[in-house]
Amino acid sequence: MATRSCREKAQKLNEQHQLILSKLLREEDNKYCADCEAKGPRWASWNIGVFICIRCAGIHRNLGVHISRVKSVNLDQWTPEQIQCMQDMGNTKARLLYEANLPENFRRPQTDQAVEFFIRDKYEKKKYYDKNAIAVTNVSKTFSSIAN
């Protein structure tokens, strides 16, 4: 049984994490899903470091935890390490890394099946990944271990 002070510390930490996530979601690229660009993402793949919509969150879950680990921005408890991953990456850096080799005339898919194919190409097959990226952040070290 947790003591009252332990519960209070956990609650305070959770409140701090919620403030950090709220601030991150106000950044321009984080206002839109990293994959389909739907407005107002409320989910995140914390190990990749991207904010995503509920539809894409379901697809990410289907990729398996060896590729993507999904959490609700405001319904789940976050660890300091998970928060750090989100702070280190975010949608802007993730796009530079995972979409570096998108075709010039690429249009984001809109149908459920097309979005799933795009997400699988992007994170599972690393079809558009910048293979020449030098550790953009500490998070990218995790990415390279996932990529191999």
Side-chain angles (χ1 to χ4, degrees):
M1 189 162 88
T3 65
R4 183 177 181 174
S5 69
C6 286
R7 284 193 307 270
E8 287 172 354
K9 283 181 186 175
Q11 184 173 348
K12 186 173 181 172
L13 185 63
N14 190 50
E15 288 169 5
Q16 291 171 341
H17 289 166
Q18 287 303 307
L19 285 172
I20 292 167
L21 290 168
S22 294
K23 183 180 175 208
L24 289 172
L25 281 167
R26 286 193 296 273
E27 292 176 13
E28 193 57 37
D29 271 353
N30 295 341
K31 290 180 182 179
Y32 302 92
C33 175
D35 297 323
C36 73
E37 293 189 339
K39 193 173 182 176
R42 302 306 305 160
W43 294 82
S45 172
W46 66 263
N47 66 310
I48 295 173
V50 293
F51 291 100
I52 52 181
C53 68
I54 192 165
R55 171 176 68 169
C56 292
I59 296 168
H60 274 255
R61 285 190 190 279
N62 290 335
L63 296 175
V65 295
H66 62 292
I67 296 173
S68 184
R69 295 175 180 233
V70 177
K71 287 189 107 110
S72 168
V73 168
N74 49 353
L75 299 175
D76 290 322
Q77 299 286 318
W78 288 69
T79 68
E81 295 78 19
Q82 293 164 346
I83 294 292
Q84 191 63 54
C85 286
M86 297 305 296
Q87 289 177 302
D88 288 345
M89 187 57 72
N91 291 3
T92 302
K93 288 181 185 173
R95 280 201 174 117
L96 291 172
L97 192 61
Y98 285 94
E99 297 181 4
N101 297 306
L102 272 180
E104 227 174 275
N105 59 350
F106 183 82
R107 290 185 51 171
R108 292 195 181 268
Q110 295 305 309
T111 66
D112 290 352
Q113 187 176 28
V115 171
E116 181 170 357
F117 286 146
F118 173 62
I119 289 172
R120 287 192 178 278
D121 282 348
K122 186 173 170 180
Y123 301 110
E124 193 175 59
K125 298 176 184 169
K126 298 206 186 303
K127 187 173 178 180
Y128 314 111
Y129 189 80
D130 182 359
K131 292 166 182 64
N132 299 318
I134 301 168
V136 178
T137 64
N138 292 334
V139 177
S140 65
K141 293 175 187 169
T142 305
F143 296 150
S144 62
S145 68
I146 293 169
N148 296 331

